[in-house]
Amino acid sequence: MLQVSYIRDNREKVLERLAVKNFKQPELVDKVIQLDNDRRQTQNRLDNVSAEANAAAKQVGEFMRAGKKDEAEVIKAKTGAWKEEIKSLGEALTAIESDLQQKLVLLPNLPHSSVPKGLTPEENEVVLENGAKPNLPADALPHWELAAKYNLIDFELGVKITGAGFPVYKNKGAKLQRALINYFIDEAEKAGYSEVSVPLMVNEASGYGTSQLPDKEGQMYFVGLDNLYLIPTAEVPITNMYRDVILKESDLPMKNCGHTPCFRREAGSYGAHVRGLNRLHQFDKVEIVQVAHPDESYVILEQMSAHVQGLLQKLGLPYRVLRLCGGDMGFGSALTYDMETWSAAQQRWLEVSSVSNFETFQSNRLKLRFRNAEGKTQLAHTLNGSALALPRIVATLLENNQTEKGIKIPEVLVPYTRFEWID
């Protein structure tokens, strides 16, 4: 959530940056400023009336002690009006603050100055491309056919049990999932992240804290009886570990990683581009999260991007890094890098990771602060990234490593899979 003080002091810049993000309700900026003016005026009037009432109450006491009952009664006669005005002003202030909050949560984060303008994924900026695309024979199979050929994944069984988008992993397919999770966690720990195991459901306050709510209700599975949400990513529970926390400056950065299943409704997803593992309603992912000093967060963002790229390099997957344009960015992000791997059988790029800096957008909602060297509290920056999401990694590993003998397992995974080939 943007800070009202920043909006007030930087109205033109806020409007300019929101335009880069293709925000459709710029009038909300002036509504927020007006409501904040109303709030300030109402609060000031309430403070003045309360001060008058308190001073009068003190004076009544003084008159009574001095035996001046008549003078005390004159002042006491006015207290009823003061009480009514204080009550009325308090109710008005509560209503204004509620309206202000409802408007504020509709404003997305401001994109970083490096974010390119654009509306669609085609306008994202390619930062770099790494690795040679494999040349497969003409009869190479897409991953869903390889999964059936080697009895790795049963999509139809998942439909029977739950529905489309909930595959059943079997045999070496299940072992490959587990191997990737353990490998990614081990690599994160080597990079200084502390592993946590977190709940798979969160309450509304947690969804609000990391800006999934009220922006993404339609994409989340809701457990109505208990008013809980299945997590779309481990970012939500891991970041919320620090809600309402004041850290020491020396504690920063805080680095956590965790594996969870992720649940996404993906309403309206259909067509050839979502076939197989390309888009699922449930999938596994290892997430990395950092709480950082504002002065260091963009250096840390590059470090997190490098960590994800290192995983792709060790897996031998060709990939590219995109800087997302304003219109393709997430609601809460200030800057996002997407990593995509090349699917040799499908002849297309598949997104496997997003790494984002949220600056103070989440921490303002979370009330996540640190005490600086002067002893004052200030908002921390939050960052997160997929390191990595499994489905499309599995898809490209199967497709790119297929041979006449079978599917070759990357060398770094063999200690985890305990087999070199899927055959």
PDB file of all heavy atoms in Angstrom, residues 4-5 7-9 11 28-46 92-93 96-97 99-100 104:
ATOM      1  N   VAL A   4       0.266   7.608   2.328  1.00  0.00           N
ATOM      2  CA  VAL A   4      -0.504   8.807   2.021  1.00  0.00           C
ATOM      3  C   VAL A   4       0.406  10.027   1.949  1.00  0.00           C
ATOM      4  O   VAL A   4       0.253  10.876   1.064  1.00  0.00           O
ATOM      5  CB  VAL A   4      -1.612   9.028   3.071  1.00  0.00           C
ATOM      6  CG1 VAL A   4      -2.393  10.309   2.769  1.00  0.00           C
ATOM      7  CG2 VAL A   4      -2.563   7.848   3.108  1.00  0.00           C
ATOM      8  N   SER A   5       1.376  10.100   2.841  1.00  0.00           N
ATOM      9  CA  SER A   5       2.275  11.258   2.851  1.00  0.00           C
ATOM     10  C   SER A   5       3.036  11.367   1.538  1.00  0.00           C
ATOM     11  O   SER A   5       3.241  12.477   1.014  1.00  0.00           O
ATOM     12  CB  SER A   5       3.249  11.158   4.025  1.00  0.00           C
ATOM     13  OG  SER A   5       4.002   9.947   3.954  1.00  0.00           O
ATOM     14  N   ILE A   7       2.011  10.223  -1.412  1.00  0.00           N
ATOM     15  CA  ILE A   7       1.045  10.617  -2.445  1.00  0.00           C
ATOM     16  C   ILE A   7       0.797  12.117  -2.393  1.00  0.00           C
ATOM     17  O   ILE A   7       0.763  12.796  -3.426  1.00  0.00           O
ATOM     18  CB  ILE A   7      -0.278   9.840  -2.269  1.00  0.00           C
ATOM     19  CG1 ILE A   7      -0.053   8.340  -2.469  1.00  0.00           C
ATOM     20  CG2 ILE A   7      -1.337  10.342  -3.250  1.00  0.00           C
ATOM     21  CD1 ILE A   7      -1.260   7.483  -2.132  1.00  0.00           C
ATOM     22  N   ARG A   8       0.625  12.655  -1.183  1.00  0.00           N
ATOM     23  CA  ARG A   8       0.380  14.086  -1.015  1.00  0.00           C
ATOM     24  C   ARG A   8       1.547  14.917  -1.563  1.00  0.00           C
ATOM     25  O   ARG A   8       1.342  15.909  -2.275  1.00  0.00           O
ATOM     26  CB  ARG A   8       0.199  14.430   0.462  1.00  0.00           C
ATOM     27  CG  ARG A   8      -1.091  13.986   1.099  1.00  0.00           C
ATOM     28  CD  ARG A   8      -1.105  14.396   2.580  1.00  0.00           C
ATOM     29  NE  ARG A   8      -1.002  15.836   2.708  1.00  0.00           N
ATOM     30  CZ  ARG A   8      -2.039  16.660   2.709  1.00  0.00           C
ATOM     31  NH1 ARG A   8      -3.267  16.174   2.595  1.00  0.00           N
ATOM     32  NH2 ARG A   8      -1.869  17.952   2.824  1.00  0.00           N
ATOM     33  N   ASP A   9       2.760  14.497  -1.234  1.00  0.00           N
ATOM     34  CA  ASP A   9       3.948  15.290  -1.570  1.00  0.00           C
ATOM     35  C   ASP A   9       4.431  15.073  -3.000  1.00  0.00           C
ATOM     36  O   ASP A   9       5.256  15.858  -3.493  1.00  0.00           O
ATOM     37  CB  ASP A   9       5.088  14.957  -0.607  1.00  0.00           C
ATOM     38  CG  ASP A   9       4.758  15.316   0.839  1.00  0.00           C
ATOM     39  OD1 ASP A   9       3.834  16.135   1.049  1.00  0.00           O
ATOM     40  OD2 ASP A   9       5.400  14.759   1.748  1.00  0.00           O
ATOM     41  N   ARG A  11       2.277  14.150  -5.950  1.00  0.00           N
ATOM     42  CA  ARG A  11       1.080  13.838  -6.745  1.00  0.00           C
ATOM     43  C   ARG A  11       1.408  13.610  -8.220  1.00  0.00           C
ATOM     44  O   ARG A  11       0.975  12.614  -8.823  1.00  0.00           O
ATOM     45  CB  ARG A  11       0.067  14.971  -6.609  1.00  0.00           C
ATOM     46  CG  ARG A  11      -1.178  14.792  -7.489  1.00  0.00           C
ATOM     47  CD  ARG A  11      -2.122  15.979  -7.373  1.00  0.00           C
ATOM     48  NE  ARG A  11      -3.254  15.831  -8.269  1.00  0.00           N
ATOM     49  CZ  ARG A  11      -3.255  16.193  -9.558  1.00  0.00           C
ATOM     50  NH1 ARG A  11      -2.145  16.722 -10.099  1.00  0.00           N
ATOM     51  NH2 ARG A  11      -4.327  16.018 -10.315  1.00  0.00           N
ATOM     52  N   LEU A  28      -8.454   8.285  -8.410  1.00  0.00           N
ATOM     53  CA  LEU A  28      -8.353   7.860  -7.019  1.00  0.00           C
ATOM     54  C   LEU A  28      -7.262   8.617  -6.266  1.00  0.00           C
ATOM     55  O   LEU A  28      -7.338   8.772  -5.045  1.00  0.00           O
ATOM     56  CB  LEU A  28      -8.079   6.354  -6.935  1.00  0.00           C
ATOM     57  CG  LEU A  28      -9.264   5.411  -7.138  1.00  0.00           C
ATOM     58  CD1 LEU A  28      -8.801   3.957  -7.101  1.00  0.00           C
ATOM     59  CD2 LEU A  28     -10.320   5.649  -6.066  1.00  0.00           C
ATOM     60  N   VAL A  29      -6.241   9.063  -6.985  1.00  0.00           N
ATOM     61  CA  VAL A  29      -5.144   9.788  -6.335  1.00  0.00           C
ATOM     62  C   VAL A  29      -5.678  11.058  -5.681  1.00  0.00           C
ATOM     63  O   VAL A  29      -5.395  11.350  -4.514  1.00  0.00           O
ATOM     64  CB  VAL A  29      -4.031  10.113  -7.350  1.00  0.00           C
ATOM     65  CG1 VAL A  29      -2.988  11.045  -6.732  1.00  0.00           C
ATOM     66  CG2 VAL A  29      -3.379   8.829  -7.841  1.00  0.00           C
ATOM     67  N   ASP A  30      -6.484  11.840  -6.433  1.00  0.00           N
ATOM     68  CA  ASP A  30      -7.033  13.069  -5.871  1.00  0.00           C
ATOM     69  C   ASP A  30      -8.075  12.780  -4.797  1.00  0.00           C
ATOM     70  O   ASP A  30      -8.204  13.556  -3.834  1.00  0.00           O
ATOM     71  CB  ASP A  30      -7.636  13.933  -6.978  1.00  0.00           C
ATOM     72  CG  ASP A  30      -6.570  14.595  -7.837  1.00  0.00           C
ATOM     73  OD1 ASP A  30      -5.462  14.850  -7.315  1.00  0.00           O
ATOM     74  OD2 ASP A  30      -6.820  14.838  -9.029  1.00  0.00           O
ATOM     75  N   LYS A  31      -8.788  11.675  -4.930  1.00  0.00           N
ATOM     76  CA  LYS A  31      -9.744  11.306  -3.890  1.00  0.00           C
ATOM     77  C   LYS A  31      -9.022  10.989  -2.583  1.00  0.00           C
ATOM     78  O   LYS A  31      -9.489  11.361  -1.502  1.00  0.00           O
ATOM     79  CB  LYS A  31     -10.590  10.111  -4.349  1.00  0.00           C
ATOM     80  CG  LYS A  31     -11.586  10.443  -5.439  1.00  0.00           C
ATOM     81  CD  LYS A  31     -12.407   9.220  -5.841  1.00  0.00           C
ATOM     82  CE  LYS A  31     -13.399   9.568  -6.944  1.00  0.00           C
ATOM     83  NZ  LYS A  31     -14.187   8.381  -7.381  1.00  0.00           N
ATOM     84  N   VAL A  32      -7.889  10.302  -2.698  1.00  0.00           N
ATOM     85  CA  VAL A  32      -7.094   9.989  -1.510  1.00  0.00           C
ATOM     86  C   VAL A  32      -6.593  11.270  -0.854  1.00  0.00           C
ATOM     87  O   VAL A  32      -6.667  11.429   0.376  1.00  0.00           O
ATOM     88  CB  VAL A  32      -5.913   9.065  -1.886  1.00  0.00           C
ATOM     89  CG1 VAL A  32      -4.859   9.047  -0.775  1.00  0.00           C
ATOM     90  CG2 VAL A  32      -6.410   7.652  -2.148  1.00  0.00           C
ATOM     91  N   ILE A  33      -6.078  12.191  -1.659  1.00  0.00           N
ATOM     92  CA  ILE A  33      -5.573  13.456  -1.118  1.00  0.00           C
ATOM     93  C   ILE A  33      -6.692  14.242  -0.441  1.00  0.00           C
ATOM     94  O   ILE A  33      -6.502  14.792   0.652  1.00  0.00           O
ATOM     95  CB  ILE A  33      -4.902  14.276  -2.232  1.00  0.00           C
ATOM     96  CG1 ILE A  33      -3.635  13.568  -2.722  1.00  0.00           C
ATOM     97  CG2 ILE A  33      -4.571  15.686  -1.741  1.00  0.00           C
ATOM     98  CD1 ILE A  33      -2.996  14.208  -3.943  1.00  0.00           C
ATOM     99  N   GLN A  34      -7.866  14.286  -1.079  1.00  0.00           N
ATOM    100  CA  GLN A  34      -8.990  15.007  -0.488  1.00  0.00           C
ATOM    101  C   GLN A  34      -9.440  14.362   0.823  1.00  0.00           C
ATOM    102  O   GLN A  34      -9.701  15.066   1.812  1.00  0.00           O
ATOM    103  CB  GLN A  34     -10.162  15.070  -1.473  1.00  0.00           C
ATOM    104  CG  GLN A  34     -11.370  15.858  -0.957  1.00  0.00           C
ATOM    105  CD  GLN A  34     -11.005  17.289  -0.597  1.00  0.00           C
ATOM    106  OE1 GLN A  34     -10.470  18.023  -1.433  1.00  0.00           O
ATOM    107  NE2 GLN A  34     -11.261  17.696   0.639  1.00  0.00           N
ATOM    108  N   LEU A  35      -9.527  13.046   0.823  1.00  0.00           N
ATOM    109  CA  LEU A  35      -9.921  12.351   2.051  1.00  0.00           C
ATOM    110  C   LEU A  35      -8.895  12.564   3.159  1.00  0.00           C
ATOM    111  O   LEU A  35      -9.261  12.688   4.332  1.00  0.00           O
ATOM    112  CB  LEU A  35     -10.099  10.857   1.772  1.00  0.00           C
ATOM    113  CG  LEU A  35     -11.387  10.457   1.056  1.00  0.00           C
ATOM    114  CD1 LEU A  35     -11.303   9.007   0.575  1.00  0.00           C
ATOM    115  CD2 LEU A  35     -12.602  10.640   1.974  1.00  0.00           C
ATOM    116  N   ASP A  36      -7.625  12.624   2.785  1.00  0.00           N
ATOM    117  CA  ASP A  36      -6.603  12.874   3.798  1.00  0.00           C
ATOM    118  C   ASP A  36      -6.731  14.295   4.343  1.00  0.00           C
ATOM    119  O   ASP A  36      -6.533  14.528   5.542  1.00  0.00           O
ATOM    120  CB  ASP A  36      -5.214  12.649   3.210  1.00  0.00           C
ATOM    121  CG  ASP A  36      -4.129  12.679   4.276  1.00  0.00           C
ATOM    122  OD1 ASP A  36      -4.297  11.988   5.304  1.00  0.00           O
ATOM    123  OD2 ASP A  36      -3.131  13.395   4.098  1.00  0.00           O
ATOM    124  N   ASN A  37      -7.075  15.252   3.477  1.00  0.00           N
ATOM    125  CA  ASN A  37      -7.338  16.615   3.949  1.00  0.00           C
ATOM    126  C   ASN A  37      -8.520  16.621   4.929  1.00  0.00           C
ATOM    127  O   ASN A  37      -8.461  17.261   5.979  1.00  0.00           O
ATOM    128  CB  ASN A  37      -7.650  17.543   2.772  1.00  0.00           C
ATOM    129  CG  ASN A  37      -6.421  17.867   1.941  1.00  0.00           C
ATOM    130  OD1 ASN A  37      -5.298  17.797   2.430  1.00  0.00           O
ATOM    131  ND2 ASN A  37      -6.627  18.215   0.674  1.00  0.00           N
ATOM    132  N   ASP A  38      -9.589  15.915   4.543  1.00  0.00           N
ATOM    133  CA  ASP A  38     -10.758  15.823   5.423  1.00  0.00           C
ATOM    134  C   ASP A  38     -10.389  15.181   6.762  1.00  0.00           C
ATOM    135  O   ASP A  38     -10.855  15.611   7.821  1.00  0.00           O
ATOM    136  CB  ASP A  38     -11.876  15.021   4.753  1.00  0.00           C
ATOM    137  CG  ASP A  38     -12.425  15.701   3.499  1.00  0.00           C
ATOM    138  OD1 ASP A  38     -12.176  16.908   3.328  1.00  0.00           O
ATOM    139  OD2 ASP A  38     -13.095  15.001   2.707  1.00  0.00           O
ATOM    140  N   ARG A  39      -9.574  14.148   6.691  1.00  0.00           N
ATOM    141  CA  ARG A  39      -9.157  13.458   7.910  1.00  0.00           C
ATOM    142  C   ARG A  39      -8.375  14.397   8.818  1.00  0.00           C
ATOM    143  O   ARG A  39      -8.610  14.457  10.037  1.00  0.00           O
ATOM    144  CB  ARG A  39      -8.297  12.241   7.547  1.00  0.00           C
ATOM    145  CG  ARG A  39      -7.807  11.431   8.745  1.00  0.00           C
ATOM    146  CD  ARG A  39      -6.759  10.403   8.330  1.00  0.00           C
ATOM    147  NE  ARG A  39      -5.555  11.029   7.812  1.00  0.00           N
ATOM    148  CZ  ARG A  39      -4.598  11.556   8.569  1.00  0.00           C
ATOM    149  NH1 ARG A  39      -4.707  11.551   9.895  1.00  0.00           N
ATOM    150  NH2 ARG A  39      -3.521  12.090   8.015  1.00  0.00           N
ATOM    151  N   ARG A  40      -7.449  15.137   8.229  1.00  0.00           N
ATOM    152  CA  ARG A  40      -6.629  16.048   9.017  1.00  0.00           C
ATOM    153  C   ARG A  40      -7.484  17.141   9.675  1.00  0.00           C
ATOM    154  O   ARG A  40      -7.286  17.470  10.861  1.00  0.00           O
ATOM    155  CB  ARG A  40      -5.565  16.692   8.127  1.00  0.00           C
ATOM    156  CG  ARG A  40      -4.474  15.723   7.679  1.00  0.00           C
ATOM    157  CD  ARG A  40      -3.538  16.385   6.689  1.00  0.00           C
ATOM    158  NE  ARG A  40      -2.401  15.529   6.380  1.00  0.00           N
ATOM    159  CZ  ARG A  40      -1.153  15.965   6.266  1.00  0.00           C
ATOM    160  NH1 ARG A  40      -0.869  17.240   6.461  1.00  0.00           N
ATOM    161  NH2 ARG A  40      -0.176  15.138   5.969  1.00  0.00           N
ATOM    162  N   GLN A  41      -8.403  17.711   8.891  1.00  0.00           N
ATOM    163  CA  GLN A  41      -9.248  18.779   9.423  1.00  0.00           C
ATOM    164  C   GLN A  41     -10.146  18.258  10.539  1.00  0.00           C
ATOM    165  O   GLN A  41     -10.309  18.922  11.574  1.00  0.00           O
ATOM    166  CB  GLN A  41     -10.096  19.375   8.295  1.00  0.00           C
ATOM    167  CG  GLN A  41      -9.277  20.142   7.269  1.00  0.00           C
ATOM    168  CD  GLN A  41     -10.093  20.533   6.043  1.00  0.00           C
ATOM    169  OE1 GLN A  41     -11.316  20.343   6.001  1.00  0.00           O
ATOM    170  NE2 GLN A  41      -9.424  21.091   5.040  1.00  0.00           N
ATOM    171  N   THR A  42     -10.718  17.069  10.320  1.00  0.00           N
ATOM    172  CA  THR A  42     -11.599  16.496  11.332  1.00  0.00           C
ATOM    173  C   THR A  42     -10.820  16.146  12.591  1.00  0.00           C
ATOM    174  O   THR A  42     -11.287  16.375  13.715  1.00  0.00           O
ATOM    175  CB  THR A  42     -12.310  15.255  10.778  1.00  0.00           C
ATOM    176  OG1 THR A  42     -13.007  15.604   9.581  1.00  0.00           O
ATOM    177  CG2 THR A  42     -13.319  14.693  11.778  1.00  0.00           C
ATOM    178  N   GLN A  43      -9.628  15.568  12.401  1.00  0.00           N
ATOM    179  CA  GLN A  43      -8.794  15.230  13.549  1.00  0.00           C
ATOM    180  C   GLN A  43      -8.387  16.488  14.322  1.00  0.00           C
ATOM    181  O   GLN A  43      -8.393  16.497  15.564  1.00  0.00           O
ATOM    182  CB  GLN A  43      -7.539  14.489  13.072  1.00  0.00           C
ATOM    183  CG  GLN A  43      -6.612  14.033  14.209  1.00  0.00           C
ATOM    184  CD  GLN A  43      -7.222  12.930  15.045  1.00  0.00           C
ATOM    185  OE1 GLN A  43      -7.462  11.833  14.557  1.00  0.00           O
ATOM    186  NE2 GLN A  43      -7.480  13.212  16.322  1.00  0.00           N
ATOM    187  N   ASN A  44      -8.060  17.552  13.596  1.00  0.00           N
ATOM    188  CA  ASN A  44      -7.674  18.803  14.242  1.00  0.00           C
ATOM    189  C   ASN A  44      -8.830  19.390  15.052  1.00  0.00           C
ATOM    190  O   ASN A  44      -8.644  19.836  16.195  1.00  0.00           O
ATOM    191  CB  ASN A  44      -7.201  19.804  13.188  1.00  0.00           C
ATOM    192  CG  ASN A  44      -6.625  21.068  13.795  1.00  0.00           C
ATOM    193  OD1 ASN A  44      -5.690  21.023  14.584  1.00  0.00           O
ATOM    194  ND2 ASN A  44      -7.190  22.214  13.418  1.00  0.00           N
ATOM    195  N   ARG A  45     -10.050  19.371  14.461  1.00  0.00           N
ATOM    196  CA  ARG A  45     -11.221  19.877  15.180  1.00  0.00           C
ATOM    197  C   ARG A  45     -11.513  19.015  16.400  1.00  0.00           C
ATOM    198  O   ARG A  45     -11.808  19.540  17.486  1.00  0.00           O
ATOM    199  CB  ARG A  45     -12.430  19.895  14.241  1.00  0.00           C
ATOM    200  CG  ARG A  45     -13.742  20.342  14.884  1.00  0.00           C
ATOM    201  CD  ARG A  45     -13.631  21.726  15.460  1.00  0.00           C
ATOM    202  NE  ARG A  45     -14.867  22.124  16.120  1.00  0.00           N
ATOM    203  CZ  ARG A  45     -14.956  23.090  17.023  1.00  0.00           C
ATOM    204  NH1 ARG A  45     -13.854  23.769  17.375  1.00  0.00           N
ATOM    205  NH2 ARG A  45     -16.107  23.393  17.580  1.00  0.00           N
ATOM    206  N   LEU A  46     -11.385  17.707  16.261  1.00  0.00           N
ATOM    207  CA  LEU A  46     -11.619  16.808  17.385  1.00  0.00           C
ATOM    208  C   LEU A  46     -10.609  17.064  18.502  1.00  0.00           C
ATOM    209  O   LEU A  46     -10.981  17.103  19.691  1.00  0.00           O
ATOM    210  CB  LEU A  46     -11.522  15.351  16.914  1.00  0.00           C
ATOM    211  CG  LEU A  46     -11.680  14.258  17.973  1.00  0.00           C
ATOM    212  CD1 LEU A  46     -13.030  14.363  18.676  1.00  0.00           C
ATOM    213  CD2 LEU A  46     -11.504  12.869  17.342  1.00  0.00           C
ATOM    214  N   ALA A  92     -17.385  10.751  12.514  1.00  0.00           N
ATOM    215  CA  ALA A  92     -17.018  11.255  11.181  1.00  0.00           C
ATOM    216  C   ALA A  92     -15.593  10.861  10.830  1.00  0.00           C
ATOM    217  O   ALA A  92     -15.305  10.473   9.685  1.00  0.00           O
ATOM    218  CB  ALA A  92     -17.167  12.780  11.151  1.00  0.00           C
ATOM    219  N   LEU A  93     -14.677  10.942  11.814  1.00  0.00           N
ATOM    220  CA  LEU A  93     -13.276  10.577  11.575  1.00  0.00           C
ATOM    221  C   LEU A  93     -13.158   9.100  11.217  1.00  0.00           C
ATOM    222  O   LEU A  93     -12.423   8.736  10.284  1.00  0.00           O
ATOM    223  CB  LEU A  93     -12.440  10.891  12.807  1.00  0.00           C
ATOM    224  CG  LEU A  93     -10.939  10.624  12.701  1.00  0.00           C
ATOM    225  CD1 LEU A  93     -10.319  11.475  11.594  1.00  0.00           C
ATOM    226  CD2 LEU A  93     -10.242  10.895  14.030  1.00  0.00           C
ATOM    227  N   ILE A  96     -14.314   8.638   7.624  1.00  0.00           N
ATOM    228  CA  ILE A  96     -13.333   9.156   6.666  1.00  0.00           C
ATOM    229  C   ILE A  96     -12.140   8.215   6.548  1.00  0.00           C
ATOM    230  O   ILE A  96     -11.672   7.907   5.443  1.00  0.00           O
ATOM    231  CB  ILE A  96     -12.877  10.568   7.079  1.00  0.00           C
ATOM    232  CG1 ILE A  96     -14.028  11.559   6.942  1.00  0.00           C
ATOM    233  CG2 ILE A  96     -11.688  11.019   6.234  1.00  0.00           C
ATOM    234  CD1 ILE A  96     -13.756  12.905   7.582  1.00  0.00           C
ATOM    235  N   GLU A  97     -11.633   7.744   7.696  1.00  0.00           N
ATOM    236  CA  GLU A  97     -10.479   6.843   7.684  1.00  0.00           C
ATOM    237  C   GLU A  97     -10.810   5.531   6.980  1.00  0.00           C
ATOM    238  O   GLU A  97      -9.968   4.982   6.255  1.00  0.00           O
ATOM    239  CB  GLU A  97     -10.023   6.574   9.118  1.00  0.00           C
ATOM    240  CG  GLU A  97      -9.354   7.775   9.765  1.00  0.00           C
ATOM    241  CD  GLU A  97      -8.999   7.559  11.219  1.00  0.00           C
ATOM    242  OE1 GLU A  97      -9.619   6.661  11.857  1.00  0.00           O
ATOM    243  OE2 GLU A  97      -8.124   8.254  11.730  1.00  0.00           O
ATOM    244  N   ASP A  99     -13.068   5.162   4.549  1.00  0.00           N
ATOM    245  CA  ASP A  99     -13.156   5.475   3.121  1.00  0.00           C
ATOM    246  C   ASP A  99     -11.769   5.654   2.530  1.00  0.00           C
ATOM    247  O   ASP A  99     -11.472   5.170   1.421  1.00  0.00           O
ATOM    248  CB  ASP A  99     -13.992   6.744   2.939  1.00  0.00           C
ATOM    249  CG  ASP A  99     -14.456   6.941   1.490  1.00  0.00           C
ATOM    250  OD1 ASP A  99     -14.252   6.017   0.669  1.00  0.00           O
ATOM    251  OD2 ASP A  99     -15.023   8.005   1.191  1.00  0.00           O
ATOM    252  N   LEU A 100     -10.886   6.312   3.281  1.00  0.00           N
ATOM    253  CA  LEU A 100      -9.505   6.514   2.822  1.00  0.00           C
ATOM    254  C   LEU A 100      -8.796   5.179   2.644  1.00  0.00           C
ATOM    255  O   LEU A 100      -8.110   4.949   1.632  1.00  0.00           O
ATOM    256  CB  LEU A 100      -8.759   7.385   3.834  1.00  0.00           C
ATOM    257  CG  LEU A 100      -7.262   7.629   3.579  1.00  0.00           C
ATOM    258  CD1 LEU A 100      -7.035   8.302   2.243  1.00  0.00           C
ATOM    259  CD2 LEU A 100      -6.661   8.456   4.709  1.00  0.00           C
ATOM    260  N   LEU A 104      -7.174   3.622  -0.730  1.00  0.00           N
ATOM    261  CA  LEU A 104      -5.736   3.354  -0.785  1.00  0.00           C
ATOM    262  C   LEU A 104      -5.432   1.953  -1.291  1.00  0.00           C
ATOM    263  O   LEU A 104      -4.491   1.757  -2.067  1.00  0.00           O
ATOM    264  CB  LEU A 104      -5.117   3.537   0.601  1.00  0.00           C
ATOM    265  CG  LEU A 104      -4.649   4.936   0.992  1.00  0.00           C
ATOM    266  CD1 LEU A 104      -4.189   4.947   2.443  1.00  0.00           C
ATOM    267  CD2 LEU A 104      -3.515   5.405   0.081  1.00  0.00           C
TER     268      LEU A 104
END
